[in-house]
Amino acid sequence: MEQKLIIYNTLSRKKEEFKPVTPGRVGMYVCGPTVYGDAHLGHARPAITFDLLFRYLQHIGYKVRYVRNITDVGHLEHDADEGEDKIAKKARLEELEPMEVAQYYTNRFHDAMNALNVLPPSIEPHATGHIIEQIQLVEEILKNGYAYESQGSVYFDVEKYNRTHHYGKLSGRNLEDVINHSRELDGVNEKRNQVDFALWKCAQPEHIMRWPSPWSDGFPGWHCECTAMGRKYLGNHFDIHGGGMDLIFPHHECEIAQAVASQGSDMVNYWMHNNMITINGQKMGKSLNNFITLAQFFSGEHEALTQAYSPMTIRFFILQAHYRSTVDFSNEALQASERGLSRLMEGLKNLERITPAEGPDTVGTAYVEELRRKCYDAMNDDLNSPIVISHLFDACRVINTLLDKKATISADALKELTTVFRTFALDILGLKEETGNGNGREEAFGKVVDMLLEQRRIAKANKDWATSDKIRDELASLGFEIKDTKDGFSWTLNR
């Protein structure tokens, strides 16, 4: 059935019906990581948010070109225009080539994304691989009169641009506010105004990442890469540009200005931004040195963690809140997510244990169709994943009544219920049954537990209550919850 997707557009500050530039096709660009360190929980949120959107757009029939960039040059230490390149600094300190640093952390990022079941993008361009396109962008802006050269660098003339266009329309700022809140920066003497931002920077002698250009040996400003690469792979006008809310200003604001200044019109129709993950009310991030890497979450090796958390627990933790709301980290919240995930995965397993009724169907296809409709309605309402999860929890309750023979369902309705549950839990939310470190240990662990419970079942059948109780009590002491059913048993592990 055709779905009507409504999404919140940061540019218009309201929900809008999604209408792609080209019918049936979607161009989507999302700001990826700066690869000078391990991915942390703050990186996971945009990756999972836009993976959810990518999955859903494909599910409802769109052909999607999803571009997610890798920033491997031009992201400076102090701000967007000044300081030492973060990758180059790490390379200097560790006596490596900058591309060694970038490649190492790109590989680490990919490993973390695979663990989180984030689908790879259609295209993953690197900033260093698109220097020519960024130089061309700067040349176009210069030609149109919205930039100027100064001491080998090129700066965007924000005040001139603002005379004919609105600089600040994405963030809701006006230029006077920007000027008043701008601080004095190193190198400001090169600029006509302190609000101007770098399109190209002349490299200092010690700067090891540099390329030849018409103005100097240097490197592109951070804001250039997304405009240049988005246009190259998605065209002058495309549908969705996404990223974290912290990128609205200045990064995405500058991207809009660059696009308009170079081609005379906006490049993006819908701007989408996920909110922040916080810790003790502060944004979690490298700049505040309060972040926990994904590798630390998976291993539990961080002083703020009371245990290790699986990748799917992290994914569920992020999806159980709407992408535009803040999420505050705590061990209690992650443990609740762990239990919620376990409940969904148990529901999925229990579907396979249900025997369809030959007689009356007390659940019926009407319930299944209502569940399907509610889940689609939630997704179509600006990707409301927490509401989808709540509907799946309700389905788990129904599944348990079926498993306990307190309700009945026909074979056709059971098949449809299984399809709806799997579609939303696995295909759209992107959850999956975890297999530990990938070598089958967790699967073997489950088989051992099943074997013990089978021995308990045999002991009960033989009225060997001592053995039966011993197996039950020993498993309970390890955190297992055992449930006897008419058809055998089920179990969950509660940490």
Side-chain angles (χ1 to χ4, degrees):
M1 69 183 113
E2 186 176 345
Q3 302 298 329
K4 181 179 177 182
L5 175 61
I6 305 296
I7 57 176
Y8 184 86
N9 190 349
T10 308
L11 188 61
S12 64
R13 295 171 182 76
K14 64 182 180 181
K15 290 182 180 180
E16 300 178 6
E17 181 180 354
F18 177 66
K19 295 180 179 179
V21 173
T22 304
R25 293 177 177 268
V26 175
M28 180 168 79
Y29 190 102
V30 174
C31 292
T34 303
V35 284
Y36 68 96
D38 273 336
H40 55 73
L41 195 60
H43 291 124
R45 192 165 198 197
I48 291 171
T49 295
F50 292 101
D51 182 62
L52 176 67
L53 177 59
F54 184 32
R55 287 170 178 271
Y56 190 62
L57 286 169
Q58 291 183 106
H59 173 76
I60 60 178
Y62 288 108
K63 184 178 177 63
V64 184
R65 178 175 290 173
Y66 174 18
V67 180
R68 185 185 67 208
N69 71 296
I70 295 290
T71 297
D72 53 3
V73 70
H75 205 300
L76 304 185
E77 205 172 24
H78 298 155
D79 56 39
D81 291 345
E82 304 299 334
E84 187 175 6
D85 186 286
K86 294 178 180 179
I87 294 171
K89 179 181 179 181
K90 198 165 190 78
R92 176 175 55 79
L93 293 174
E94 298 184 11
E95 297 183 340
L96 297 170
E97 281 290 326
M99 288 301 99
E100 284 185 270
V101 173
Q103 189 63 58
Y104 175 79
Y105 286 111
T106 298
N107 293 343
R108 299 270 292 179
F109 175 75
H110 288 158
D111 289 343
M113 294 303 102
N114 289 337
L116 292 168
N117 203 27
V118 169
L119 298 175
S122 314
I123 304 172
E124 190 175 59
H126 291 232
T128 52
H130 296 76
I131 301 298
I132 291 173
E133 288 81 1
Q134 294 177 77
I135 289 174
Q136 289 173 340
L137 173 68
V138 177
E139 289 176 328
E140 290 173 12
I141 296 172
L142 275 166
K143 180 181 177 182
N144 291 336
Y146 291 109
Y148 56 91
E149 183 182 351
S150 176
Q151 300 180 37
S153 294
V154 180
Y155 292 97
F156 191 95
D157 193 332
V158 172
E159 283 199 323
K160 183 174 181 181
Y161 173 84
N162 195 59
R163 290 176 203 145
T164 51
H165 305 90
H166 179 194
Y167 180 80
K169 66 180 182 179
L170 182 67
S171 60
R173 306 182 186 205
N174 61 56
L175 188 57
E176 184 177 341
D177 291 335
V178 176
I179 292 172
N180 289 340
H181 287 87
S182 294
R183 57 186 175 85
E184 292 294 329
L185 302 171
D186 293 336
V188 75
N189 59 315
E190 295 181 2
K191 302 179 182 182
R192 293 177 183 171
N193 295 288
Q194 59 186 11
V195 293
D196 296 345
F197 58 89
L199 299 171
W200 185 266
K201 286 290 291 181
C202 177
Q204 298 303 308
E206 67 276 8
H207 200 101
I208 57 179
M209 298 180 79
R210 59 175 66 219
W211 290 263
S213 79
W215 315 287
S216 65
D217 278 5
F219 53 94
W222 170 41
H223 308 307
C224 286
E225 63 182 89
C226 294
T227 306
M229 294 189 293
R231 183 167 64 179
K232 178 179 176 68
Y233 295 110
L234 298 173
N236 289 351
H237 302 283
F238 61 87
D239 301 297
I240 298 168
H241 194 320
M245 196 171 284
D246 57 329
L247 296 179
I248 292 176
F249 188 89
H251 186 47
H252 289 164
E253 197 74 76
C254 294
E255 280 194 58
I256 289 176
Q258 289 171 160
V260 173
S262 63
Q263 66 185 37
S265 59
D266 283 315
M267 191 163 64
V268 179
N269 283 357
Y270 302 90
W271 287 87
M272 296 181 68
H273 295 89
N274 62 274
N275 214 320
M276 299 296 100
I277 292 180
T278 58
I279 179 167
N280 298 322
Q282 282 190 311
K283 171 196 165 187
M284 181 181 284
K286 290 179 180 175
S287 60
L288 296 173
N289 200 32
N290 66 348
F291 63 95
I292 305 172
T293 70
L294 291 173
Q296 289 169 327
F297 274 105
F298 301 159
S299 68
E301 296 174 358
H302 190 281
E303 60 184 11
L305 301 174
T306 59
Q307 65 177 76
Y309 297 98
S310 74
M312 284 304 98
T313 298
I314 300 298
R315 186 177 181 103
F316 187 88
F317 170 69
I318 289 171
L319 289 172
Q320 70 177 357
H322 190 268
Y323 78 91
R324 288 193 290 114
S325 66
T326 56
V327 178
D328 198 55
F329 157 80
S330 70
N331 282 283
E332 292 76 16
L334 282 168
Q335 288 160 6
S337 295
E338 191 172 57
R339 293 190 293 272
L341 174 66
S342 177
R343 183 180 172 192
L344 283 188
M345 292 299 104
E346 183 184 9
L348 195 60
K349 288 179 182 177
N350 286 341
L351 279 166
E352 300 173 2
R353 301 183 178 130
I354 296 170
T355 302
E358 295 181 1
D361 180 349
T362 61
V363 171
T365 56
Y367 168 75
V368 179
E369 286 306 311
E370 182 184 20
L371 174 65
R372 189 198 309 270
R373 179 187 60 77
K374 286 180 176 179
C375 288
Y376 275 120
D377 286 349
M379 284 301 299
N380 288 332
D381 184 15
D382 198 26
L383 308 179
N384 205 327
S385 58
I387 298 299
V388 174
I389 290 170
S390 72
H391 293 321
L392 293 178
F393 280 156
D394 180 72
C396 288
R397 179 187 57 78
V398 173
I399 290 166
N400 287 337
T401 64
L402 290 166
L403 196 64
D404 292 340
K405 308 291 188 184
K406 295 178 181 177
T408 57
I409 190 169
S410 68
D412 287 344
L414 177 60
K415 183 179 178 181
E416 282 303 303
L417 178 58
T418 302
T419 297
V420 171
F421 200 101
R422 291 182 64 86
T423 294
F424 283 94
L426 306 185
D427 299 342
I428 295 174
L429 295 181
L431 302 170
K432 66 177 182 178
E433 190 71 34
E434 293 183 285
T435 55
N437 57 11
N439 61 9
R441 289 182 181 177
E442 195 161 309
E443 183 179 354
F445 168 81
K447 289 180 178 179
V448 169
V449 176
D450 287 342
M451 183 176 68
L452 283 170
L453 290 174
E454 178 62 19
Q455 293 302 311
R456 176 174 176 265
R457 187 190 67 77
I458 293 170
K460 286 178 67 178
N462 294 332
K463 297 185 178 181
D464 182 359
W465 308 119
T467 300
S468 171
D469 290 346
K470 180 176 176 59
I471 293 173
R472 180 199 63 204
D473 294 343
E474 288 289 339
L475 287 173
S477 69
L478 295 171
F480 289 91
E481 182 180 334
I482 311 302
K483 185 177 182 181
D484 292 310
T485 67
K486 292 182 180 180
D487 296 322
F489 54 82
S490 66
W491 61 269
T492 55
L493 176 60
N494 299 319
R495 293 180 184 175

